[in-house]
């Protein structure tokens, strides 16, 4: 048992963990060997939402220009009716 592989993760005291690893893993149950521990597969934080893509920016510019023209047209119509 003394020669068997150990977890080796650093504990709070700074010493390597002496617990045996979980079967099939390199770390013990406390340091990431347990099922479901660790980061999820794939980086979901890096998924892009597309708000700043070239298409989205162009679409927003078109909408802004359309709104600007509509307001100018409404202002022109109001001037004529007064």
């Amino acid at each position: 048992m003394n020669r068997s592989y150990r977890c080796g993760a650093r504990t709070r005291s700074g010493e390597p963990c002496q617990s045996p690893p979980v079967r099939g893993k390199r770390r013990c149950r406390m340091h990431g060997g347990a099922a479901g521990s660790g980061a999820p597969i794939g980086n979901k934080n890096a998924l892009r939402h597309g708000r700043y893509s070239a298409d989205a920016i162009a679409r927003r510019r078109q909408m802004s220009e359309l709104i600007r023209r509509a307001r100018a047209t409404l202002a022109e119509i109001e001037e004529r009716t007064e």
Side-chain angles (χ1 to χ4, degrees):
M1 187 68 178
N2 285 341
R3 290 187 172 177
S4 66
Y5 185 76
R6 297 297 174 176
C7 171
R10 294 284 171 202
T11 61
R12 289 182 183 181
S13 65
E15 300 295 318
C17 177
Q18 294 300 309
S19 297
V22 174
R23 185 176 299 159
K25 303 273 186 136
R26 296 186 61 171
R27 298 291 182 209
C28 70
R29 63 187 178 86
M30 300 298 286
H31 292 114
S37 65
I41 295 173
N43 186 358
K44 296 192 180 201
N45 291 329
L47 290 178
R48 304 272 174 128
H49 46 67
R51 180 178 177 128
Y52 300 105
S53 65
D55 291 338
I57 292 170
R59 205 173 317 124
R60 283 196 301 274
R61 284 185 180 151
Q62 286 176 338
M63 289 302 293
S64 295
E65 181 62 28
L66 181 65
I67 291 169
R68 218 176 288 120
R69 287 183 183 183
R71 286 181 178 158
T73 303
L74 284 173
E76 191 177 309
I77 291 171
E78 286 179 359
E79 286 178 9
R80 288 183 189 171
T81 57
E82 292 178 351

